[in-house]
Amino acid sequence: MVSVKSVLCSIASLYVACFSLFVLVDVYARPTNNSAAKHDKANDKDDNEIQPPNHVNGLKLEKGGILNKDFHQEVFLGKEIEEFEEDSEPVKNRKKLISIFEKVDSNVDQKISASEMQRWIMEKTEEHFQQAAKENKMYFKTVDPDGDGQVSWDEYRIKFLVSKGFNEKQVAEKIKNNEELKIDEETQEVLDNLKDRWFQADEHPANHLLNENEFLAFLHPEHSRGMLTFMVKEIIRDLDQDGDKTLTVSEFISLPVGTVENQEAQDIDDDWVKERRKEFEEVIDGDRDGIVTMDELVEYMDPMNEYSALNEAKQMIAVADENQDHYLELEEILKYSEYFTGSKLMNYAQSVHEEF
């Protein structure tokens, strides 16, 4: 007959074994520490960021000639745009906006002139440039595993395909042996476009290798006049319907591919046409002849063009200039905060004079 003591010992032994197994599984299931987990996520992000972005802060047009809806906010807030996106509290945002107003108002006359806004826009655009250059150093290290300061198209192609889920060793071996890569049609099309862009970024004398600065131009065309021109050529190619390498207003306002299915979609399309027509006629078409040339579009797109920055400054002031004095006062900028920051402030004029 089995004793009670023996039964209890058996149950205790089973409990200890189960508990040990649970601890073992838990240890191996978790990352060793949070920083390691964050590091892995950062690496994943780096791999995904080696492709040129569709959206570039501080550029008026995006891929395909789409108007950058956030352009005004980007050139007004600079790197502080993330603070307004993350912190939606109206009181804090109002204080931040008042602080920005004080910085733009360089002569402290409690109003912002076009020249003051122009200077501010140039400074904020430079901030975006510096941020892109800083990030580029990290991305360049990702695609330059041997650290020789130069990246070949094959090196980049391997890293790009790895970011799409391909096995790095297998891809590298196939490329080394000139074997065919089994890539889906969509990925191959992206690669073909990237290859064209890659060789455009390869400055004279061309050696099919990109250094860190050339790689920056590859990812961010705004850093190179040549790459900015290449981007403009792509936009004109996408929008030019008669093949004359210029754009008319009808070509620029053409609706994207799609069918209007309801009234809401119709309203969106109407807004699309109105906004693009206004931008074409009042801003892009410099000589007002109804045709936008390659040179005009490059000047319009150039984020460091001082003349364009002045025009942008005048436009931004005009939006909120309720008393029509061609200056921007604090009450006006607070009232139109959504235009400048993307954040709507409640009771915008409350206690303004006490805080200013």
Side-chain angles (χ1 to χ4, degrees):
M1 186 174 180
V2 180
S3 67
V4 175
K5 185 177 181 180
S6 298
V7 173
L8 291 176
C9 287
S10 298
I11 293 174
S13 299
L14 181 61
Y15 175 82
V16 171
C18 289
F19 179 77
S20 299
L21 180 61
F22 172 79
V23 172
L24 186 64
V25 170
D26 185 57
V27 168
Y28 280 96
R30 292 176 295 168
T32 53
N33 55 57
N34 289 333
S35 62
K38 291 178 181 178
H39 180 71
D40 289 340
K41 288 181 180 179
N43 287 341
D44 290 342
K45 183 181 179 182
D46 294 349
D47 288 341
N48 292 329
E49 293 290 347
I50 62 175
Q51 184 177 346
N54 290 331
H55 176 87
V56 176
N57 287 341
L59 275 190
K60 291 187 175 183
L61 292 182
E62 300 181 352
K63 188 176 181 181
I66 307 298
L67 287 175
N68 178 3
K69 297 288 188 181
D70 300 323
F71 177 76
H72 305 300
Q73 297 161 23
E74 291 166 358
V75 296
F76 182 72
L77 297 176
K79 62 184 180 182
E80 293 175 348
I81 190 170
E82 295 179 0
E83 296 181 16
F84 278 86
E85 290 173 350
E86 294 172 0
D87 183 4
S88 59
E89 293 185 32
V91 175
K92 289 184 178 180
N93 283 346
R94 184 162 62 86
K95 289 181 178 179
K96 291 176 187 174
L97 192 50
I98 292 173
S99 176
I100 291 174
F101 181 92
E102 293 171 342
K103 293 174 183 176
V104 183
D105 180 23
S106 56
N107 63 1
V108 200
D109 63 354
Q110 297 191 14
K111 57 185 179 182
I112 295 174
S113 67
S115 60
E116 286 174 324
M117 184 67 85
Q118 177 197 28
R119 173 191 58 81
W120 182 258
I121 288 173
M122 297 295 288
E123 287 180 8
K124 297 296 107 177
T125 301
E126 181 61 30
E127 284 184 6
H128 289 305
F129 269 51
Q130 292 173 0
Q131 181 64 26
K134 181 180 178 181
E135 292 174 352
N136 181 69
K137 289 183 178 293
M138 179 174 59
Y139 302 148
F140 188 75
K141 289 178 181 178
T142 300
V143 297
D144 183 28
D146 55 14
D148 64 353
Q150 293 182 318
V151 179
S152 69
W153 166 247
D154 283 343
E155 284 178 319
Y156 174 79
R157 184 164 49 141
I158 291 170
K159 290 297 183 181
F160 171 78
L161 290 173
V162 168
S163 74
K164 297 298 180 183
F166 288 80
N167 180 278
E168 184 167 3
K169 288 184 178 180
Q170 291 178 1
V171 171
E173 190 67 23
K174 285 182 179 292
I175 289 178
K176 180 181 179 181
N177 298 328
N178 291 319
E179 297 178 16
E180 182 181 355
L181 294 171
K182 294 181 180 180
I183 303 174
D184 62 89
E185 187 176 340
E186 183 180 351
T187 302
Q188 185 59 55
E189 184 179 352
V190 172
L191 264 178
D192 290 341
N193 290 333
L194 288 174
K195 188 174 183 179
D196 289 341
R197 188 173 181 141
W198 183 272
F199 290 111
Q200 285 290 327
D202 185 13
E203 296 180 354
H204 184 78
N207 58 359
H208 297 177
L209 300 171
L210 299 190
N211 58 33
E212 188 174 311
N213 287 334
E214 290 169 332
F215 189 71
L216 174 61
F218 169 73
L219 291 182
H220 289 271
E222 73 275 17
H223 286 256
S224 161
R225 186 74 173 188
M227 287 302 294
L228 192 64
T229 301
F230 178 72
M231 182 179 180
V232 167
K233 286 180 179 178
E234 288 187 318
I235 290 174
I236 290 179
R237 180 198 64 197
D238 291 339
L239 301 179
D240 180 20
Q241 297 173 5
D242 58 13
D244 65 353
K245 297 182 180 180
T246 63
L247 296 178
T248 62
V249 66
S250 62
E251 290 172 328
F252 190 72
I253 68 174
S254 294
L255 296 174
V257 178
T259 304
V260 177
E261 298 178 351
N262 52 50
Q263 185 58 46
E264 184 178 358
Q266 179 67 60
D267 292 341
I268 293 174
D269 287 343
D270 289 345
D271 291 340
W272 164 282
V273 171
K274 290 177 183 177
E275 188 174 6
R276 291 178 72 84
R277 181 184 293 278
K278 181 179 180 181
E279 191 74 9
F280 183 98
E281 294 176 345
E282 298 181 8
V283 184
I284 306 176
D285 184 17
D287 56 11
R288 305 293 191 271
D289 64 351
I291 296 174
V292 167
T293 64
M294 180 92 61
D295 290 340
E296 284 178 317
L297 199 55
V298 169
E299 291 302 315
Y300 167 79
M301 288 281 288
D302 185 359
M304 298 308 291
N305 183 326
E306 293 188 7
Y307 178 73
S308 293
L310 180 59
N311 281 338
E312 186 62 34
K314 291 177 179 178
Q315 271 190 293
M316 293 173 73
I317 290 175
V319 167
D321 184 19
E322 290 195 336
N323 61 10
Q324 300 295 303
D325 65 350
H326 305 295
Y327 290 90
L328 196 61
E329 298 175 4
L330 180 58
E331 289 85 349
E332 292 171 331
I333 199 172
L334 289 174
K335 185 173 182 178
Y336 289 85
S337 63
E338 191 168 11
Y339 174 80
F340 291 100
T341 70
S343 175
K344 186 175 266 187
L345 306 183
M346 303 301 291
N347 299 322
Y348 67 90
Q350 183 179 359
S351 303
V352 166
H353 298 291
E354 287 85 344
E355 293 190 46
F356 186 49

